[in-house]
Amino acid sequence: DGGITQSPKYLFRKEGQNVTLSCEQNLNHDAMYWYRQDPGQGLRLIYYSQIVNDFQKGDIAEGYSVSREKKESFPLTVTSAQKNPTAFYLCASRVSAKNIQYFGAGTRLSVL
Amino acid sequence: AQSVTQPDIHITVSEGASLELRCNYSYGATPYLFWYVQSPGQGLQLLLKYFSGDTLVQGIKGFEAEFKRSQSSFNLRKPSVHWSDAAEYFCAVGDYNNNDMRFGAGTRLTVKP
């Protein structure tokens, strides 16, 4: 089945801890995105990557880091510098020829 | 900078009634417009999109939307709502490569039996 897989579905972070959210796609899409969703605020872009080994900051990149070592994978690390990490995180991907983003099922991150 | 406003935070309609969700956008050039739907705890599913051409676009699940440039609007409509349509709906505007897609805050739809 082709699609975008985010794991885990639920994640808990302790104070001072870094955590990594996984996003894998088998759609052969070129671009990948990470969004943060908070109640009543819609989605805000954290980072995006158009090609392997290259990525750009979005509106709220502070306290987050990403890597794009493989076309299929775009993991997001929530660092201890992110003081308010509790949110729903969504990964998306897009094929270059089409102007449409497709989304994974999301990861809900909470702070212990 | 582009932006999207969804004026209604929450809408309640009766099953079988018609539905219109409002979306207003701000964008300097020709916008790429989208409507997505999100069920609780899930990702976003694309309902429909407008890039150019016919201003009335049809989507999945019986939804349609009309692009009105003069009003900077892209309202979503459905003639008869089903209980399974209860969800959160997001309008979004993007540029030509869609790397800077902006989302509205969403409208939560409740369907009464």
Side-chain angles (χ1 to χ4, degrees), chain A residues 5-61:
Chain A
T5 301
Q6 289 189 241
S7 62
K9 190 168 177 65
Y10 299 97
L11 186 59
F12 297 90
R13 192 190 89 166
K14 296 178 182 178
E15 291 288 336
Q17 186 182 40
N18 293 353
V19 293
T20 297
L21 286 61
S22 171
C23 179
E24 304 275 334
Q25 53 98 0
N26 60 3
L27 301 168
N28 199 32
H29 285 179
D30 304 295
M32 297 186 73
Y33 306 80
W34 274 106
Y35 291 91
R36 171 176 170 142
Q37 185 178 21
D38 295 281
Q41 293 194 41
L43 280 67
R44 293 181 290 168
L45 183 64
I46 305 172
Y47 270 98
Y48 69 95
S49 166
Q50 298 189 78
I51 56 172
V52 172
N53 292 323
D54 187 49
F55 45 82
Q56 285 76 43
K57 293 181 179 180
D59 295 326
I60 57 165

Side-chain angles (χ1 to χ4, degrees), chain B residues 9-93:
Chain B
I9 296 172
H10 183 207
I11 284 182
T12 300
V13 298
S14 297
E15 191 168 15
S18 64
L19 171 70
E20 182 168 26
L21 302 182
R22 296 184 290 164
C23 172
N24 294 99
Y25 69 89
S26 172
Y27 190 67
T30 299
Y32 292 78
L33 294 160
F34 307 83
W35 274 100
Y36 285 88
V37 61
Q38 183 182 37
S39 297
Q42 297 298 314
L44 274 65
Q45 180 184 22
L46 180 68
L47 284 176
L48 47 78
K49 63 188 185 298
Y50 171 80
F51 291 170
S52 65
D54 193 349
T55 57
L56 184 64
V57 293
Q58 303 297 321
I60 62 171
K61 304 186 180 189
F63 285 93
E64 67 178 26
E66 186 171 12
F67 170 59
K68 293 186 177 180
R69 184 186 298 275
S70 61
Q71 298 178 21
S72 297
S73 69
F74 188 57
N75 294 348
L76 182 72
R77 301 193 293 248
K78 187 169 184 178
S80 177
V81 169
H82 188 261
W83 65 266
S84 61
D85 294 324
E88 187 138 24
Y89 292 79
F90 292 93
C91 181
V93 62

